[in-house]
Amino acid sequence: MAEYKIYFKASVEKDLRQIPSQEIKKILQRISLLTADPRPVGCEKLTGQERYRIRHGNIVLYIRLKLIDL
């Protein structure tokens, strides 16, 4: 099975500052699972976009999958 890499936008650090540290740990654990399965159960494709939405409690994670040629 393929393994994927995760890249963050520069604005993510600023966004995470507003979230309690315990929640940040849980969010980062969930994000790390995306390396094995970038579209887990519960992931929703956004209409008309190449982006997906994953909910984590009140937090919504938006991901974009990008194919990179090796």
Side-chain angles (χ1 to χ4, degrees), residues 11 13 20 23 32 50 54-55 57 61 65 68:
S11 62
E13 182 180 354
E23 279 301 307
S32 70
E50 287 303 315
I54 300 172
R55 293 191 181 274
L61 308 172
L65 303 177
I68 299 175

Side-chain angles (χ1 to χ4, degrees), residues 22-68:
Q22 289 292 67
E23 279 301 307
I24 291 173
K25 289 178 185 177
K26 292 176 186 177
I27 292 168
L28 292 177
Q29 286 175 341
R30 183 135 187 220
I31 290 172
S32 70
L33 295 175
L34 296 175
T35 60
D37 183 10
R39 285 174 271 192
V41 174
C43 178
E44 296 181 32
K45 184 171 185 328
L46 299 176
T47 306
Q49 300 179 32
E50 287 303 315
R51 292 178 9 163
Y52 295 83
R53 178 178 65 214
I54 300 172
R55 293 191 181 274
H56 180 82
N58 294 341
I59 311 280
V60 179
L61 308 172
Y62 292 99
I63 60 172
R64 182 174 50 158
L65 303 177
K66 190 190 254 186
L67 182 62
I68 299 175

Side-chain angles (χ1 to χ4, degrees), residues 2-17:
E3 188 163 310
Y4 299 85
K5 290 186 179 184
I6 298 173
Y7 298 94
F8 292 95
K9 288 175 52 176
S11 62
V12 170
E13 182 180 354
K14 181 180 174 187
D15 294 338
L16 289 177
R17 284 188 211 142

